[in-house]
Amino acid sequence: MNIDPVTAQVRKEIHCVLPAGDRSSLAILVLFILFVVSVPKNNLPAVIAYGAFPLFFIISAGLPLRPVMKRMMLISPFLLFMAAGNIYFDRLPVFTAGSIAITGGMISGSVIVAKALVTLAAVLVFSFCVPFHRFGNALRGFGVPEVFITQLQLVYRYSFLLAPEARALQKARDLRSFGNRGKDLFTTAKLIGSLLVRTTARAERIYMAMTARGFRNNLYAEHPVPFTAKDGAAVATALFCLTAVWLLFRV
């Protein structure tokens, strides 16, 4: 199964794995996201405290910070755009820091950005340390329908074919364009439509090839690893730590 080069390089540099199993790690990840999302909009210290958890696992798993930060920076413009709305609509001053009035929108916007970055860091740690086929097996262990897991794995597998197709179309447009001609909105929309048609046709050919080789709407699945006492202890420990942070920093 192909993976993107950044993820492949990161996994080559990992010298240790997550201390818990795949199923317990997935359960801990879901619990962590739920706790972070449940933090009130004005409780920035709690979100910062939760940010220590993915930072700890990044260090303990030997993950290089550069690819993690690079992927987090890709989503930062969208986060700043959402935070700007809070700053605009909530202008009521809460306190002053010197001569600067800190409004409720500034605080809630900062919490939104911090929540997104902390949860994204946790998801990146999980995705770097747990290959996608093991993630699918963990979902099977929790009773997720096989059709959903198969679709998820196929989308992940063939999503890396979409970027080369898009680059080929972009290169063809650049070779046939002069200056800014051919780069307007309507031409770009036509290219996106052409990309959709090409990927749909390729998906049909891939499906027929898979069917000819015995594919019957189910991918080969390993037997899920049983949920052991060690996994239960890991989930219980994580739940205790997350609850302790929530109680300590609740407003």
Side-chain angles (χ1 to χ4, degrees), residues 206-244:
I206 291 173
Y207 178 75
M208 287 189 292
M210 293 173 62
T211 304
R213 289 163 174 80
F215 177 69
R216 294 297 180 266
N217 300 326
N218 280 318
L219 295 176
Y220 172 77
E222 301 174 1
H223 294 290
V225 179
F227 199 82
T228 63
K230 180 181 178 181
D231 295 327
V235 174
T237 302
L239 181 61
F240 173 78
C241 295
L242 295 173
T243 305

Side-chain angles (χ1 to χ4, degrees), residues 48-209:
I48 296 176
Y50 280 124
F53 289 92
L55 181 61
F56 168 77
F57 284 110
I58 288 174
I59 296 174
S60 63
L63 289 173
L65 288 176
R66 184 175 179 180
V68 177
M69 296 300 297
K70 181 179 179 180
R71 295 194 174 198
M72 294 175 66
M73 291 298 295
L74 291 176
I75 199 175
S76 59
F78 303 98
L79 302 180
L80 294 177
F81 179 78
M82 290 188 299
N86 285 52
I87 297 174
Y88 178 79
F89 290 108
D90 189 356
R91 306 181 185 179
L92 183 64
V94 178
F95 63 92
T96 58
S99 59
I100 301 176
I102 306 300
T103 64
M106 293 180 181
I107 299 175
S108 59
S110 301
V111 171
I112 289 175
V113 174
K115 281 184 178 181
L117 293 178
V118 168
T119 53
L120 178 60
V123 172
L124 287 176
V125 171
F126 180 84
S127 64
F128 283 145
C129 295
V130 179
F132 203 81
H133 69 278
R134 285 168 47 189
F135 169 68
N137 289 332
L139 291 178
R140 289 185 183 94
F142 285 111
V144 177
E146 180 64 30
V147 61
F148 174 78
I149 299 173
T150 301
Q151 290 291 332
L152 195 62
Q153 289 182 330
L154 290 176
V155 168
Y156 176 80
R157 167 62 180 85
Y158 294 109
S159 63
F160 301 109
L161 299 177
L162 181 64
E165 292 282 354
R167 285 195 295 266
L169 285 176
Q170 183 180 8
K171 185 176 181 180
R173 181 188 66 176
D174 294 340
L175 290 175
R176 292 166 175 80
S177 302
F178 300 93
N180 291 326
R181 296 182 60 185
K183 298 183 179 180
D184 56 280
L185 180 62
F186 294 102
T187 305
T188 303
K190 293 179 181 178
L191 287 177
I192 295 175
S194 177
L195 178 63
L196 177 62
V197 172
R198 292 177 63 175
T199 52
T200 303
R202 188 167 184 176
E204 290 291 337
R205 295 195 302 270
I206 291 173
Y207 178 75
M208 287 189 292

Side-chain angles (χ1 to χ4, degrees), residues 2-25:
N2 292 342
I3 58 177
D4 62 297
V6 176
T7 304
Q9 182 63 29
V10 169
R11 287 179 182 164
K12 289 180 180 178
E13 299 178 11
I14 294 176
H15 300 290
C16 60
V17 295
L18 295 176
D22 294 340
R23 290 174 63 185
S24 56
S25 297

